[in-house]
Amino acid sequence: MQEFVRLNEVGPRDGLQNEVGVIRLEHKLALIELLAGSGLSEIEVGSFVSPKWVPQMADTDQLLPKLPVVQGLRYSVLVPNMRGWVAFEAARQPDVPYQVAVFVSASETFSQSNLNCTIAQSIENLTPVVRAAEAAGVPLRAYISCVTDCPFEGPVDPAAVAQVARTLRAIAPMPLSLGDTIGQGTPETVAAMISKVAQEVPVTQLAGHFHDTGGQALANIAVALELGLREFDTAVGGLGGCPYAPGAPGNVATEAVLAMLATHGYQTGVDRDVIAEAVELAKGMR
Ligand code: HMG
Ligand code: MG
């Protein structure tokens, strides 16, 4: 039997948050509607963050009520603090499955740049979000950014990533997505980092989130697969980056990961023809 690999499409969030111009709501919606029919089981559609910090995500509250309901598909949103949780609660549709994603950095300088606070403070801010999501029965995931390299501090010690992973898992047994925020990881640094984190968290609870700045994302996914990871975040058309990580254009492209996984005999349940259509649509949005 073929092994299954789960893809989390992050293009509408991690992709579009980095666009210089603000993408109109109906264009975002058209992209998500197309992706929703591709067989993907998870699409990250937006963030409940400060509109002053990330104006491209300011319409996430208007987007949520318009999303199509598709069997087997859930929508993910980023929520850094209780202010974001309250906005999510107000916007969500009653019978639609969601996932709330909280986010932390493994590097102090990136934490300041992305969240305007220390790592410890960001964990304090996200903890009540975790409790609220648990109480509301909303599944959670946590991102760790800068898992191999920081745009300000350079190489990141795998022990620092493992420490953040341990802290997050002590708050709740949520899956963790390991973010190579600026796409500078290599198969060697990624393997060292995953091996260290895997001492704290089962690999079945880890996802890989690779930006492709250094052209190593597919090689990094290959090494993560060897180490047992079976979930990856990808963005259609290779959209994206992080507005507070200088030099971070492009998540690994969904279509490239699908091609690679097919070559290696993995199943994903995702229709590559529909993704090819979405690539064309995404290109037209830039
Ligand atoms: P702050 O300025 O430190 O917060 O921002 P504050 O508490 O002092 O509030 C300042 C203003 O923001 C106030 O409004 C708050 O109400 C408002 P004002 O009184 O000035 O009008 N505010 C909010 N508004 C909407 N939603 C909220 C919210 N919270 C406060 N949730 C904050 C702190 C976290 C809000 C800010 O730093 C922020 O929004 N940062 C953006 C973070 C972000 O979205 N980054 C990109 C996503 S992370 C990423 O891309 C990495 C990832 O892909 C993985 C990887 O690649 O590594 C996930
Ligand atoms: Mg990212």
Short mmCIF file of all heavy atoms in Angstrom, two decimals, residues 166-224:
data_model
loop_
_atom_site.label_atom_id
_atom_site.label_comp_id
_atom_site.label_asym_id
_atom_site.label_seq_id
_atom_site.Cartn_x
_atom_site.Cartn_y
_atom_site.Cartn_z
N ARG A 166 9.44 21.70 23.36
CA ARG A 166 9.10 21.11 24.67
C ARG A 166 8.11 22.01 25.40
O ARG A 166 7.11 21.55 25.96
CB ARG A 166 10.38 20.93 25.49
CG ARG A 166 10.18 20.17 26.79
CD ARG A 166 11.45 20.09 27.64
NE ARG A 166 12.63 19.77 26.85
CZ ARG A 166 13.79 20.44 26.88
NH1 ARG A 166 13.93 21.50 27.65
NH2 ARG A 166 14.80 20.09 26.12
N THR A 167 8.37 23.31 25.38
CA THR A 167 7.49 24.26 26.07
C THR A 167 6.08 24.22 25.48
O THR A 167 5.08 24.19 26.21
CB THR A 167 8.07 25.69 25.97
OG1 THR A 167 9.41 25.66 26.43
CG2 THR A 167 7.27 26.69 26.76
N LEU A 168 6.01 24.22 24.15
CA LEU A 168 4.69 24.21 23.49
C LEU A 168 3.93 22.93 23.81
O LEU A 168 2.72 22.95 24.09
CB LEU A 168 4.85 24.37 21.98
CG LEU A 168 5.30 25.75 21.50
CD1 LEU A 168 5.70 25.69 20.03
CD2 LEU A 168 4.20 26.79 21.71
N ARG A 169 4.62 21.81 23.78
CA ARG A 169 3.96 20.52 24.02
C ARG A 169 3.56 20.36 25.48
O ARG A 169 2.66 19.57 25.80
CB ARG A 169 4.87 19.38 23.58
CG ARG A 169 5.12 19.37 22.09
CD ARG A 169 4.04 18.72 21.30
NE ARG A 169 3.88 17.32 21.63
CZ ARG A 169 3.03 16.50 21.02
NH1 ARG A 169 2.26 16.96 20.04
NH2 ARG A 169 2.94 15.24 21.36
N ALA A 170 4.21 21.13 26.36
CA ALA A 170 3.79 21.09 27.77
C ALA A 170 2.49 21.88 27.94
O ALA A 170 1.69 21.60 28.83
CB ALA A 170 4.89 21.67 28.65
N ILE A 171 2.26 22.84 27.06
CA ILE A 171 1.01 23.63 27.11
C ILE A 171 -0.15 22.78 26.59
O ILE A 171 -1.23 22.75 27.19
CB ILE A 171 1.16 24.94 26.31
CG1 ILE A 171 2.21 25.82 26.97
CG2 ILE A 171 -0.17 25.68 26.19
CD1 ILE A 171 2.66 26.99 26.11
N ALA A 172 0.07 22.09 25.49
CA ALA A 172 -0.96 21.22 24.91
C ALA A 172 -0.29 20.25 23.94
O ALA A 172 0.71 20.59 23.32
CB ALA A 172 -2.01 22.05 24.17
N PRO A 173 -0.88 19.07 23.77
CA PRO A 173 -0.27 18.08 22.87
C PRO A 173 -0.60 18.37 21.40
O PRO A 173 -1.15 17.54 20.70
CB PRO A 173 -0.90 16.76 23.33
CG PRO A 173 -2.23 17.16 23.86
CD PRO A 173 -2.09 18.55 24.42
N MET A 174 -0.28 19.59 20.96
CA MET A 174 -0.64 19.98 19.59
C MET A 174 0.48 19.65 18.61
O MET A 174 1.65 19.65 18.99
CB MET A 174 -0.97 21.48 19.55
CG MET A 174 0.08 22.36 20.14
SD MET A 174 -0.58 24.01 20.48
CE MET A 174 0.68 24.66 21.56
N PRO A 175 0.11 19.38 17.36
CA PRO A 175 1.16 19.16 16.36
C PRO A 175 1.96 20.43 16.12
O PRO A 175 1.44 21.54 16.27
CB PRO A 175 0.38 18.74 15.10
CG PRO A 175 -1.03 19.06 15.34
CD PRO A 175 -1.24 19.24 16.81
N LEU A 176 3.22 20.25 15.75
CA LEU A 176 4.11 21.39 15.54
C LEU A 176 4.55 21.43 14.08
O LEU A 176 4.90 20.40 13.50
CB LEU A 176 5.36 21.27 16.41
CG LEU A 176 5.16 21.08 17.92
CD1 LEU A 176 6.53 21.02 18.61
CD2 LEU A 176 4.32 22.21 18.51
N SER A 177 4.54 22.64 13.51
CA SER A 177 5.07 22.82 12.17
C SER A 177 6.41 23.55 12.29
O SER A 177 6.50 24.62 12.90
CB SER A 177 4.09 23.63 11.32
OG SER A 177 4.67 23.85 10.05
N LEU A 178 7.44 22.95 11.70
CA LEU A 178 8.81 23.46 11.85
C LEU A 178 9.13 24.36 10.67
O LEU A 178 9.25 23.88 9.53
CB LEU A 178 9.77 22.28 11.92
CG LEU A 178 9.48 21.29 13.08
CD1 LEU A 178 10.30 20.01 12.92
CD2 LEU A 178 9.78 21.96 14.43
N GLY A 179 9.25 25.66 10.91
CA GLY A 179 9.37 26.64 9.83
C GLY A 179 10.80 27.06 9.52
O GLY A 179 11.47 27.67 10.36
N ASP A 180 11.23 26.76 8.30
CA ASP A 180 12.48 27.34 7.79
C ASP A 180 12.07 28.65 7.13
O ASP A 180 11.93 28.77 5.91
CB ASP A 180 13.16 26.40 6.80
CG ASP A 180 14.41 27.02 6.19
OD1 ASP A 180 14.85 28.09 6.68
OD2 ASP A 180 14.95 26.46 5.21
N THR A 181 11.88 29.64 7.96
CA THR A 181 11.25 30.91 7.61
C THR A 181 11.92 31.61 6.43
O THR A 181 11.25 32.22 5.60
CB THR A 181 11.28 31.84 8.84
OG1 THR A 181 10.93 31.06 9.97
CG2 THR A 181 10.37 33.03 8.70
N ILE A 182 13.25 31.54 6.38
CA ILE A 182 13.97 32.29 5.32
C ILE A 182 14.60 31.34 4.29
O ILE A 182 15.42 31.77 3.48
CB ILE A 182 15.02 33.26 5.91
CG1 ILE A 182 16.02 32.53 6.82
CG2 ILE A 182 14.32 34.40 6.63
CD1 ILE A 182 17.26 33.35 7.13
N GLY A 183 14.21 30.07 4.33
CA GLY A 183 14.66 29.15 3.29
C GLY A 183 16.16 29.02 3.19
O GLY A 183 16.71 28.90 2.10
N GLN A 184 16.83 29.00 4.33
CA GLN A 184 18.29 28.85 4.32
C GLN A 184 18.74 27.48 4.84
O GLN A 184 19.93 27.19 4.92
CB GLN A 184 18.96 29.95 5.18
CG GLN A 184 18.79 31.35 4.58
CD GLN A 184 19.37 31.44 3.18
OE1 GLN A 184 20.50 31.05 2.92
NE2 GLN A 184 18.57 31.95 2.25
N GLY A 185 17.77 26.65 5.22
CA GLY A 185 18.11 25.31 5.73
C GLY A 185 18.69 24.44 4.63
O GLY A 185 18.40 24.63 3.44
N THR A 186 19.52 23.49 5.03
CA THR A 186 20.09 22.52 4.10
C THR A 186 19.70 21.13 4.62
O THR A 186 19.30 21.00 5.79
CB THR A 186 21.63 22.60 4.08
OG1 THR A 186 22.10 22.26 5.40
CG2 THR A 186 22.12 23.99 3.71
N PRO A 187 19.82 20.09 3.80
CA PRO A 187 19.50 18.76 4.32
C PRO A 187 20.26 18.45 5.62
O PRO A 187 19.71 17.82 6.52
CB PRO A 187 19.92 17.83 3.17
CG PRO A 187 19.70 18.67 1.94
CD PRO A 187 20.10 20.07 2.35
N GLU A 188 21.49 18.95 5.75
CA GLU A 188 22.28 18.67 6.97
C GLU A 188 21.70 19.39 8.18
O GLU A 188 21.48 18.80 9.24
CB GLU A 188 23.75 19.10 6.78
CG GLU A 188 24.53 18.27 5.77
CD GLU A 188 24.12 18.55 4.30
OE1 GLU A 188 23.71 19.68 3.99
OE2 GLU A 188 24.20 17.61 3.48
N THR A 189 21.43 20.70 8.03
CA THR A 189 20.93 21.45 9.19
C THR A 189 19.49 21.03 9.53
O THR A 189 19.12 20.96 10.71
CB THR A 189 21.00 22.98 8.97
OG1 THR A 189 20.25 23.33 7.80
CG2 THR A 189 22.44 23.45 8.81
N VAL A 190 18.72 20.70 8.50
CA VAL A 190 17.34 20.26 8.74
C VAL A 190 17.36 18.91 9.47
O VAL A 190 16.61 18.70 10.44
CB VAL A 190 16.55 20.18 7.41
CG1 VAL A 190 15.24 19.44 7.58
CG2 VAL A 190 16.29 21.59 6.88
N ALA A 191 18.21 18.01 9.02
CA ALA A 191 18.28 16.68 9.67
C ALA A 191 18.71 16.82 11.12
O ALA A 191 18.13 16.17 12.02
CB ALA A 191 19.25 15.77 8.90
N ALA A 192 19.69 17.68 11.38
CA ALA A 192 20.17 17.86 12.76
C ALA A 192 19.06 18.42 13.63
O ALA A 192 18.84 17.97 14.78
CB ALA A 192 21.38 18.79 12.78
N MET A 193 18.31 19.38 13.09
CA MET A 193 17.23 20.01 13.85
C MET A 193 16.11 19.01 14.12
O MET A 193 15.63 18.87 15.25
CB MET A 193 16.76 21.23 13.06
CG MET A 193 15.63 22.03 13.63
SD MET A 193 14.01 21.36 13.25
CE MET A 193 13.97 21.48 11.46
N ILE A 194 15.67 18.29 13.08
CA ILE A 194 14.56 17.34 13.27
C ILE A 194 14.97 16.25 14.27
O ILE A 194 14.18 15.88 15.15
CB ILE A 194 14.11 16.71 11.93
CG1 ILE A 194 13.44 17.77 11.05
CG2 ILE A 194 13.14 15.54 12.16
CD1 ILE A 194 13.05 17.29 9.66
N SER A 195 16.20 15.77 14.15
CA SER A 195 16.65 14.71 15.07
C SER A 195 16.58 15.18 16.51
O SER A 195 16.19 14.43 17.41
CB SER A 195 18.08 14.27 14.74
OG SER A 195 18.13 13.86 13.39
N LYS A 196 16.93 16.44 16.74
CA LYS A 196 16.90 16.99 18.11
C LYS A 196 15.45 17.16 18.59
O LYS A 196 15.10 16.79 19.72
CB LYS A 196 17.63 18.34 18.11
CG LYS A 196 17.92 18.91 19.47
CD LYS A 196 19.10 18.22 20.12
CE LYS A 196 19.33 18.75 21.52
NZ LYS A 196 20.21 17.89 22.31
N VAL A 197 14.60 17.71 17.73
CA VAL A 197 13.20 17.95 18.12
C VAL A 197 12.49 16.60 18.35
O VAL A 197 11.66 16.47 19.25
CB VAL A 197 12.45 18.80 17.06
CG1 VAL A 197 10.97 18.93 17.39
CG2 VAL A 197 13.09 20.18 16.96
N ALA A 198 12.86 15.60 17.55
CA ALA A 198 12.21 14.29 17.66
C ALA A 198 12.50 13.62 19.00
O ALA A 198 11.82 12.67 19.38
CB ALA A 198 12.65 13.39 16.51
N GLN A 199 13.50 14.13 19.73
CA GLN A 199 13.74 13.62 21.09
C GLN A 199 12.65 14.11 22.04
O GLN A 199 12.47 13.57 23.13
CB GLN A 199 15.12 14.05 21.60
CG GLN A 199 16.26 13.40 20.82
CD GLN A 199 17.64 13.98 21.18
OE1 GLN A 199 17.78 14.74 22.15
NE2 GLN A 199 18.64 13.64 20.40
N GLU A 200 11.96 15.17 21.65
CA GLU A 200 10.90 15.77 22.49
C GLU A 200 9.49 15.42 22.02
O GLU A 200 8.56 15.35 22.81
CB GLU A 200 11.02 17.31 22.48
CG GLU A 200 12.36 17.86 22.87
CD GLU A 200 12.66 17.64 24.34
OE1 GLU A 200 11.72 17.43 25.13
OE2 GLU A 200 13.86 17.66 24.68
N VAL A 201 9.34 15.29 20.70
CA VAL A 201 8.00 15.20 20.09
C VAL A 201 8.01 14.06 19.06
O VAL A 201 8.92 14.01 18.23
CB VAL A 201 7.65 16.53 19.36
CG1 VAL A 201 6.25 16.50 18.78
CG2 VAL A 201 7.83 17.73 20.28
N PRO A 202 7.00 13.17 19.08
CA PRO A 202 6.97 12.11 18.07
C PRO A 202 6.91 12.70 16.65
O PRO A 202 6.22 13.71 16.43
CB PRO A 202 5.66 11.35 18.37
CG PRO A 202 5.16 11.85 19.68
CD PRO A 202 5.86 13.13 20.01
N VAL A 203 7.61 12.06 15.72
CA VAL A 203 7.66 12.61 14.36
C VAL A 203 6.27 12.67 13.71
O VAL A 203 6.03 13.49 12.82
CB VAL A 203 8.63 11.85 13.42
CG1 VAL A 203 10.07 12.17 13.75
CG2 VAL A 203 8.37 10.37 13.42
N THR A 204 5.37 11.83 14.17
CA THR A 204 3.99 11.86 13.62
C THR A 204 3.29 13.17 14.00
O THR A 204 2.25 13.49 13.45
CB THR A 204 3.17 10.70 14.17
OG1 THR A 204 3.28 10.73 15.60
CG2 THR A 204 3.66 9.36 13.65
N GLN A 205 3.86 13.92 14.94
CA GLN A 205 3.27 15.19 15.38
C GLN A 205 4.02 16.38 14.81
O GLN A 205 3.82 17.51 15.23
CB GLN A 205 3.31 15.27 16.92
CG GLN A 205 2.42 14.24 17.60
CD GLN A 205 0.97 14.60 17.44
OE1 GLN A 205 0.52 15.62 17.92
NE2 GLN A 205 0.22 13.77 16.72
N LEU A 206 4.93 16.12 13.86
CA LEU A 206 5.74 17.20 13.28
C LEU A 206 5.42 17.39 11.80
O LEU A 206 5.24 16.41 11.06
CB LEU A 206 7.23 16.88 13.43
CG LEU A 206 7.76 16.76 14.86
CD1 LEU A 206 9.23 16.31 14.84
CD2 LEU A 206 7.62 18.08 15.62
N ALA A 207 5.35 18.65 11.38
CA ALA A 207 5.19 18.97 9.95
C ALA A 207 6.40 19.82 9.53
O ALA A 207 7.02 20.49 10.36
CB ALA A 207 3.90 19.77 9.73
N GLY A 208 6.70 19.79 8.24
CA GLY A 208 7.80 20.61 7.71
C GLY A 208 7.23 21.79 6.94
O GLY A 208 6.30 21.64 6.15
N HIS A 209 7.81 22.98 7.20
CA HIS A 209 7.34 24.21 6.55
C HIS A 209 8.56 24.89 5.95
O HIS A 209 9.29 25.61 6.63
CB HIS A 209 6.67 25.08 7.63
CG HIS A 209 6.17 26.42 7.15
ND1 HIS A 209 4.85 26.69 6.97
CD2 HIS A 209 6.83 27.56 6.84
CE1 HIS A 209 4.70 27.95 6.58
NE2 HIS A 209 5.90 28.49 6.49
N PHE A 210 8.79 24.62 4.67
CA PHE A 210 10.03 25.07 4.05
C PHE A 210 9.79 26.18 3.03
O PHE A 210 9.00 26.02 2.11
CB PHE A 210 10.73 23.89 3.37
CG PHE A 210 11.15 22.82 4.34
CD1 PHE A 210 10.45 21.63 4.44
CD2 PHE A 210 12.23 23.02 5.19
CE1 PHE A 210 10.82 20.65 5.35
CE2 PHE A 210 12.62 22.05 6.11
CZ PHE A 210 11.91 20.86 6.18
N HIS A 211 10.50 27.28 3.24
CA HIS A 211 10.56 28.31 2.20
C HIS A 211 11.72 27.93 1.29
O HIS A 211 12.66 27.26 1.70
CB HIS A 211 10.75 29.69 2.84
CG HIS A 211 9.50 30.15 3.56
ND1 HIS A 211 8.68 31.13 3.07
CD2 HIS A 211 8.93 29.74 4.71
CE1 HIS A 211 7.66 31.31 3.89
NE2 HIS A 211 7.79 30.48 4.91
N ASP A 212 11.62 28.39 0.03
CA ASP A 212 12.55 27.86 -0.98
C ASP A 212 13.60 28.87 -1.41
O ASP A 212 14.18 28.74 -2.49
CB ASP A 212 11.76 27.36 -2.19
CG ASP A 212 12.57 26.37 -3.02
OD1 ASP A 212 13.51 25.75 -2.46
OD2 ASP A 212 12.30 26.24 -4.21
N THR A 213 13.87 29.84 -0.56
CA THR A 213 14.80 30.92 -0.93
C THR A 213 16.14 30.38 -1.41
O THR A 213 16.69 30.86 -2.40
CB THR A 213 15.02 31.84 0.28
OG1 THR A 213 13.81 31.93 1.00
CG2 THR A 213 15.51 33.21 -0.14
N GLY A 214 16.65 29.38 -0.71
CA GLY A 214 17.97 28.84 -1.06
C GLY A 214 17.89 27.69 -2.05
O GLY A 214 18.90 27.04 -2.33
N GLY A 215 16.68 27.40 -2.55
CA GLY A 215 16.53 26.32 -3.54
C GLY A 215 16.69 24.93 -2.95
O GLY A 215 16.87 23.96 -3.69
N GLN A 216 16.60 24.82 -1.61
CA GLN A 216 16.84 23.53 -0.96
C GLN A 216 15.56 22.88 -0.43
O GLN A 216 15.61 21.83 0.22
CB GLN A 216 17.79 23.73 0.23
CG GLN A 216 19.19 24.16 -0.14
CD GLN A 216 19.98 23.01 -0.75
OE1 GLN A 216 20.12 21.95 -0.16
NE2 GLN A 216 20.47 23.21 -1.96
N ALA A 217 14.41 23.52 -0.68
CA ALA A 217 13.19 23.05 0.00
C ALA A 217 12.86 21.59 -0.32
O ALA A 217 12.50 20.82 0.57
CB ALA A 217 12.02 23.96 -0.35
N LEU A 218 12.98 21.20 -1.60
CA LEU A 218 12.63 19.82 -1.95
C LEU A 218 13.61 18.84 -1.32
O LEU A 218 13.21 17.78 -0.83
CB LEU A 218 12.57 19.64 -3.47
CG LEU A 218 11.41 20.33 -4.19
CD1 LEU A 218 11.50 20.10 -5.70
CD2 LEU A 218 10.05 19.86 -3.68
N ALA A 219 14.88 19.20 -1.31
CA ALA A 219 15.89 18.33 -0.67
C ALA A 219 15.62 18.24 0.83
O ALA A 219 15.78 17.19 1.45
CB ALA A 219 17.29 18.89 -0.94
N ASN A 220 15.17 19.35 1.41
CA ASN A 220 14.86 19.36 2.84
C ASN A 220 13.63 18.50 3.14
O ASN A 220 13.57 17.80 4.16
CB ASN A 220 14.65 20.79 3.33
CG ASN A 220 15.95 21.58 3.30
OD1 ASN A 220 17.04 20.98 3.31
ND2 ASN A 220 15.86 22.90 3.24
N ILE A 221 12.66 18.54 2.24
CA ILE A 221 11.48 17.68 2.41
C ILE A 221 11.90 16.21 2.30
O ILE A 221 11.45 15.36 3.07
CB ILE A 221 10.38 18.04 1.38
CG1 ILE A 221 9.76 19.39 1.78
CG2 ILE A 221 9.30 16.96 1.31
CD1 ILE A 221 8.72 19.93 0.82
N ALA A 222 12.80 15.92 1.36
CA ALA A 222 13.26 14.53 1.18
C ALA A 222 13.89 14.02 2.47
O ALA A 222 13.62 12.89 2.91
CB ALA A 222 14.23 14.44 0.01
N VAL A 223 14.70 14.86 3.10
CA VAL A 223 15.37 14.40 4.33
C VAL A 223 14.34 14.28 5.47
O VAL A 223 14.41 13.35 6.29
CB VAL A 223 16.58 15.30 4.67
CG1 VAL A 223 16.23 16.54 5.43
CG2 VAL A 223 17.62 14.54 5.46
N ALA A 224 13.38 15.18 5.49
CA ALA A 224 12.32 15.11 6.52
C ALA A 224 11.49 13.84 6.34
O ALA A 224 11.11 13.18 7.33
CB ALA A 224 11.44 16.36 6.44
#
